[in-house]
Amino acid sequence: LFPIFMKKRFINRLVDSTQTKAAVLEPYQFKDLLLVANDSRNGLRNISIIWHSFGSALRITEIAHLKIKDVLDRDGTVIKVGTLSAKYTKTGKSRSLIQVEKKQQIAIKKYLEQRVGKGLRTTERSDYMGLDPESPLYLSRGQSGFSLTLKTYQKENGEIEEYWSCSSLQQLISKLIKRVGVVGGSTHSGRRTLATRLNARGISDDIIQDILGYSSKNQTMDYIEPDLKKIEFALSTIFKEEFIGK
């Protein structure tokens, strides 16, 4: 009796899960997050980091791995759609680096202009805004990037897998989200928020999957928060008189 748009995969995401999912931010909460990021140490840098999480759906370690040449063309313009190196990704496969939002591009430029003004990892070159193209995009202390640690974990089948961790950047983003008052927010909130917003606007699963960098649609759907208004509407149609009779 369920309407056609109540697909099986959508229903499956309503079933209770032992896995805690990161909170999806409402538009007003995201605006507050940008304000909080700006009102902090290294405000311009932090705003740009937030945009790469919520606007590009990058993971923490992917953000930490970014270099100047990944986000800028040689003429200093922000690349709208680039490529994220396979060396940076969790899957070990290259994927799209999306930077199409104008506000995100402005945030990146403002941060890099600040870097140039302070002479942080600059060169005598005229390209890349005078910045070292091989230098980390985001600097932590002084002129060093955020430190990455190689860790391991045991999978269910007993195999040992390696992964990169960047606890300092993770703590930074989590702290900023917490200051906004979001319950259950984490560093995955950026990816889940973007995926959910795109899905609500009717963007195809394939495009969302490409942005998130997943090979499986099931993984992609796991990042999309169920739309409670659509669920309510769907359930209301089930119990209309034409379905159950008078």
Side-chain angles (χ1 to χ4, degrees):
L1 295 177
F2 274 84
I4 295 175
F5 64 80
M6 289 292 287
K7 300 177 182 178
K8 181 178 180 181
R9 66 185 179 190
F10 185 78
I11 299 172
N12 287 342
R13 290 188 291 122
L14 303 180
V15 179
D16 288 339
S17 172
T18 56
Q19 182 179 5
T20 302
K21 296 181 180 179
V24 171
L25 272 64
E26 296 294 334
Y28 76 90
Q29 293 174 319
F30 178 65
K31 290 180 180 179
D32 289 345
L33 179 61
L34 292 176
L35 291 174
V36 166
N38 187 50
D39 186 27
S40 59
R41 186 180 180 183
N42 299 311
L44 293 181
R45 181 203 66 183
N46 294 345
I47 290 175
S48 187
I49 288 174
I50 291 298
W51 271 112
H52 268 126
S53 177
F54 285 80
S56 301
L58 298 190
R59 300 179 178 89
I60 293 299
T61 53
E62 292 169 346
I63 295 174
H65 270 113
L66 286 176
K67 295 182 179 180
I68 293 294
K69 66 179 184 181
D70 295 319
V71 302
L72 287 184
D73 276 323
R74 295 179 69 94
D75 63 3
T77 59
V78 176
I79 299 171
K80 290 184 178 181
V81 181
T83 301
L84 198 63
S85 172
K87 295 183 295 183
Y88 304 167
T89 68
K90 182 179 180 180
T91 61
K93 298 179 181 179
S94 61
R95 66 182 179 91
S96 300
L97 170 59
I98 310 297
Q99 301 175 140
V100 297
E101 169 58 46
K102 189 65 176 179
K103 292 180 180 178
Q104 179 179 4
Q105 296 173 22
I106 292 173
I108 294 171
K109 288 286 285 190
K110 283 185 176 180
Y111 162 60
L112 294 181
E113 286 169 356
Q114 183 184 63
R115 271 188 57 171
V116 172
K118 293 183 177 181
L120 300 175
R121 303 293 290 268
T122 55
T123 68
E124 297 299 323
R125 301 169 53 158
S126 59
D127 54 1
Y128 297 104
M129 296 177 62
L131 293 162
D132 177 3
E134 296 292 338
S135 72
L137 173 62
Y138 294 116
L139 303 181
S140 177
R141 295 182 179 180
Q143 301 194 35
S144 300
F146 284 89
S147 60
L148 289 147
T149 304
L150 187 61
K151 296 184 177 181
T152 61
Y153 76 96
Q154 187 172 6
K155 299 167 66 174
E156 292 183 359
N157 60 8
E159 294 181 2
I160 302 298
E161 187 164 310
E162 295 181 334
Y163 69 98
W164 288 102
S165 172
C166 184
S167 58
S168 55
L169 185 54
Q170 182 175 353
Q171 291 170 7
L172 170 64
I173 296 180
S174 295
K175 182 179 179 180
L176 291 174
I177 295 176
K178 186 176 181 179
R179 284 181 58 190
V180 177
V182 175
V183 178
S186 77
T187 53
H188 287 284
S189 290
R191 288 167 59 78
R192 292 203 72 224
T193 297
L194 182 59
T196 300
R197 296 287 171 261
L198 290 172
N199 177 260
R201 284 161 176 74
I203 303 301
S204 72
D205 295 348
D206 290 337
I207 293 177
I208 299 175
Q209 181 178 339
D210 184 48
I211 293 173
L212 293 179
Y214 280 129
S215 57
S216 167
K217 283 191 177 181
N218 289 333
Q219 290 176 303
T220 301
M221 295 307 295
D222 193 50
Y223 264 72
I224 299 173
E225 189 74 4
D227 190 323
L228 297 181
K229 289 184 178 179
K230 287 184 179 180
I231 295 171
E232 182 179 0
F233 172 77
L235 292 176
S236 70
T237 63
I238 293 175
F239 300 104
K240 285 184 179 296
E241 290 184 353
E242 57 264 36
F243 278 80
I244 61 176
K246 295 182 180 181

